[in-house]
């Protein structure tokens, strides 16, 4: 089994910064990719950023330039640096892990709340 633990969420004023962390543990031999998704009230869950173990990254177009994803493969940890936060960034942020196996099994964290005040 695999467990994902997110941390770093909280309340921040518009224009501020937060850094989210997601640590994976359990039966992990190899990771295909890890990423961050978010879900705001009344909206569908959407991709924020993702990164492969090889370092390839993918960002939502609206967030590129403000958010940066990085990873520490040795510790199975992924980070999301969020700068110049806006009220519309308010959401629950979820960590996702996809294993590099034949099935490509994926796992989700419980989420961490980010609230940006104006």
């Amino acid at each position: 089994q695999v467990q994902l633990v997110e941390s770093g969420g909280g309340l921040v004023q518009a224009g501020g910064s937060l850094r989210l962390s997601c640590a994976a543990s359990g039966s992990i031999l190899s990771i295909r990719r890890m990423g961050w998704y978010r879900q705001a009230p009344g909206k569908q869950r959407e991709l924020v950023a993702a990164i492969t173990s090889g370092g390839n990254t993918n960002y939502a177009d609206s967030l590129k330039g403000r958010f940066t994803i990085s990873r520490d493969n040795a510790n199975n940890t992924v980070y999301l640096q969020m700068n110049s936060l806006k009220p519309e960034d308010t959401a629950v942020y979820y960590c996702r892990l996809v294993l590099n196996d034949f099935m490509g099994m994926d796992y989700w964290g419980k989420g961490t709340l980010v609230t940006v005040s104006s």
Side-chain angles (χ1 to χ4, degrees):
Q1 56 184 19
V2 175
Q3 184 179 25
L4 303 177
V5 179
E6 301 127 322
S7 62
L11 175 64
V12 64
Q13 292 182 336
S17 299
L18 285 174
R19 189 183 189 227
L20 306 183
S21 299
C22 175
S25 62
S27 301
I28 302 173
L29 296 178
S30 182
I31 297 174
R32 181 177 297 171
R33 62 181 178 270
M34 296 184 72
W36 291 95
Y37 293 72
R38 70 183 184 183
Q39 187 167 21
K43 295 185 177 181
Q44 294 183 333
R45 189 172 300 185
E46 63 179 356
L47 171 70
V48 175
I51 187 168
T52 69
S53 294
N56 293 324
T57 59
N58 184 35
Y59 295 91
D61 289 340
S62 62
L63 302 178
K64 195 172 185 178
R66 294 195 297 121
F67 289 13
T68 303
I69 190 169
S70 60
R71 83 281 188 271
D72 180 355
N73 288 343
N75 293 304
N76 294 329
T77 302
V78 65
Y79 306 94
L80 183 68
Q81 179 66 45
M82 304 185 293
N83 298 325
S84 302
L85 285 164
K86 304 175 181 179
E88 54 262 41
D89 294 321
T90 296
V92 177
Y93 286 71
Y94 297 91
C95 179
R96 184 194 184 196
L97 165 68
V98 181
L99 295 177
N100 188 27
D101 59 16
F102 295 120
M103 298 179 62
M105 187 69 181
D106 66 329
Y107 299 86
W108 292 86
K110 295 181 179 179
T112 184
L113 177 63
V114 172
T115 303
V116 184
S117 65
S118 60

